[in-house]
Amino acid sequence: MINNKTKYTELIKSEAKRLGFMSCGISKAGFLEEEAPRFENWLNKNQHGKMGYMENNFDKRLNPTLLVEDAKSVISLLLNYYPSEFQNQDTFKISKYAYGDDYHFVIKDKLKLLFQTIKDTIGDVHGRIFVDSAPVLDKAWAAKSGLGWIGKNSNLITQKIGSFYFIAELILDLDLEYDFPVTDHCGTCTACIDSCPTEAIIAPYHVDGSKCISYFTIELKESIPLTMKGKFEDWAFGCDICQDVCPWNKFSKSHNEDLFKTKPEILSFSKNDWTEITEDVFNNIFKNSALKRTKFDGFKRNLEFLK
């Protein structure tokens, strides 16, 4: 006879797949003992740069039971964003995750449907949805849930699908069957470390966020330091270098999510088109895009820095 934990776990994973998530893993909610000293050390060395929000809610980042009362399970989900069409090589580069609509809304809608199905089927279940918008160490939970390993570039990597996917969580006060971590398959490869133009990967599995191109072009709100001039390799929003060179991303397959379909302008815009874009045009084209994170002024600052 199948017990409830097995039945509920199978229901959640089946529904996640139906909603388009490429993977679903589950781990027991609790304090992230191994991650705590690493995270504290990273903060103490100011490797989060000006991302002051990373210092907030330290305890909650490490313990989901402080986010959801009586939390029992952390459900981690992966959603593919690897595109079928790419920018040409002679333009300002946009990180692939921003080619389509803003992932926050796309994933949140899917998670709401998943959570509603859980409540409709199982009953009185409490929990919260998290999509890169609250103090949750999503890569740590995804690795703990067996969805991949955290690579030398600090991204979650999976043998069959690489690393071009979003990570989200559903934390519930429901006991489920738990998955186990997988082994690390980075081996002796140092492609990501060798390829980072700003030397942000200061050691295997250790990224200084304050040196990352994504940090400078998205998170940093003030002027980009002149010491970085000439090192961005035309990246105007985010950076995919450490993923593009990762051998495991040879196995990436194009997503089938309509809302992530590449905006035509990202494919067709030349450097001149990007440079001449007006605020009205920017806001109109990218109103549903992650690109609006920088706002028009921030994006123009990035383009000026690349000149």
Side-chain angles (χ1 to χ4, degrees):
M1 182 178 176
I2 298 176
N3 63 36
N4 281 343
K5 280 203 295 187
T6 301
K7 185 169 70 174
Y8 296 159
T9 301
E10 288 175 353
L11 163 76
I12 290 167
K13 291 190 174 184
S14 174
E15 183 64 10
K17 185 176 182 180
R18 189 189 69 80
L19 289 168
F21 290 103
M22 65 195 310
S23 303
C24 175
I26 306 172
S27 50
K28 185 178 177 61
F31 182 67
L32 289 170
E33 200 168 326
E34 289 182 24
E35 285 76 10
R38 288 200 292 265
F39 184 52
E40 186 172 22
N41 182 55
W42 187 75
L43 290 174
N44 288 339
K45 290 183 175 179
N46 291 316
Q47 290 175 349
H48 57 306
K50 302 287 184 178
M51 295 182 286
Y53 62 86
M54 295 298 294
E55 301 169 33
N56 302 332
N57 301 303
F58 180 83
D59 292 338
K60 289 181 179 178
R61 287 185 190 277
L62 295 162
N63 190 350
T65 64
L66 300 177
L67 292 167
V68 174
E69 188 177 352
D70 200 29
K72 299 285 198 310
S73 302
V74 179
I75 302 167
S76 294
L77 302 118
L78 305 182
L79 187 64
N80 184 16
Y81 67 80
Y82 192 71
S84 57
E85 299 177 288
F86 303 88
Q87 290 181 283
N88 67 60
Q89 296 299 303
D90 301 320
T91 192
F92 293 119
K93 300 171 190 171
I94 307 299
S95 190
K96 296 176 191 64
Y97 82 82
Y99 276 18
D101 283 358
D102 191 330
Y103 65 96
H104 293 90
F105 305 112
V106 177
I107 298 176
K108 194 164 284 187
D109 286 346
K110 289 179 183 292
L111 284 181
K112 285 178 182 176
L113 291 171
L114 175 59
F115 195 15
Q116 192 59 52
T117 297
I118 291 168
K119 290 189 284 189
D120 289 346
T121 309
I122 299 173
D124 190 25
V125 180
H126 298 91
R128 283 180 66 187
I129 288 165
F130 298 92
V131 187
D132 194 27
S133 56
V136 178
L137 294 179
D138 52 7
K139 288 182 283 190
W141 284 109
K144 197 176 176 69
S145 301
L147 297 185
W149 72 94
I150 296 179
K152 292 177 183 177
N153 60 4
S154 86
N155 286 313
L156 186 81
I157 304 173
T158 306
Q159 277 183 291
K160 293 182 179 179
I161 47 180
S163 63
F164 286 107
Y165 40 72
F166 300 114
I167 307 173
E169 296 81 30
L170 180 54
I171 300 177
L172 302 177
D173 64 348
L174 179 70
D175 272 319
L176 297 165
E177 291 189 339
Y178 302 124
D179 297 297
F180 301 96
V182 298
T183 53
D184 185 313
H185 293 277
C186 282
T188 59
C189 178
T190 58
C192 58
I193 299 171
D194 300 337
S195 299
C196 180
T198 58
E199 299 180 347
I201 310 174
I202 56 178
Y205 311 101
H206 194 150
V207 174
D208 183 342
S210 71
K211 293 181 178 180
C212 180
I213 294 173
S214 288
Y215 164 74
F216 288 122
T217 57
I218 301 173
E219 299 290 347
L220 186 66
K221 305 309 175 191
E222 54 199 52
S223 298
I224 300 170
L226 289 176
T227 52
M228 290 292 131
K229 194 76 175 173
K231 296 184 178 181
F232 282 16
E233 299 187 6
D234 283 335
W235 286 96
F237 184 91
C239 177
D240 289 339
I241 292 173
C242 69
Q243 294 194 85
D244 286 337
V245 300
C246 177
W248 292 110
N249 278 319
K250 292 176 183 174
F251 300 105
S252 297
K253 294 181 175 65
S254 302
H255 67 77
N256 55 10
E257 174 56 61
D258 286 344
L259 294 172
F260 290 160
K261 188 175 179 180
T262 306
K263 295 185 183 301
E265 293 81 5
I266 286 178
L267 293 176
S268 64
F269 270 20
S270 66
K271 283 186 176 181
N272 194 52
D273 292 325
W274 284 116
T275 303
E276 293 186 354
I277 194 170
T278 65
E279 186 166 7
D280 285 344
V281 172
F282 179 87
N283 290 336
N284 182 52
I285 294 173
F286 300 112
K287 62 184 176 183
N288 297 322
S289 165
L291 241 67
K292 68 182 185 299
R293 175 94 180 267
T294 62
K295 299 181 178 169
F296 178 71
D297 289 342
F299 190 70
K300 291 296 281 188
R301 175 209 62 178
N302 295 346
L303 296 178
E304 286 295 320
F305 189 78
L306 293 175
K307 285 183 179 178

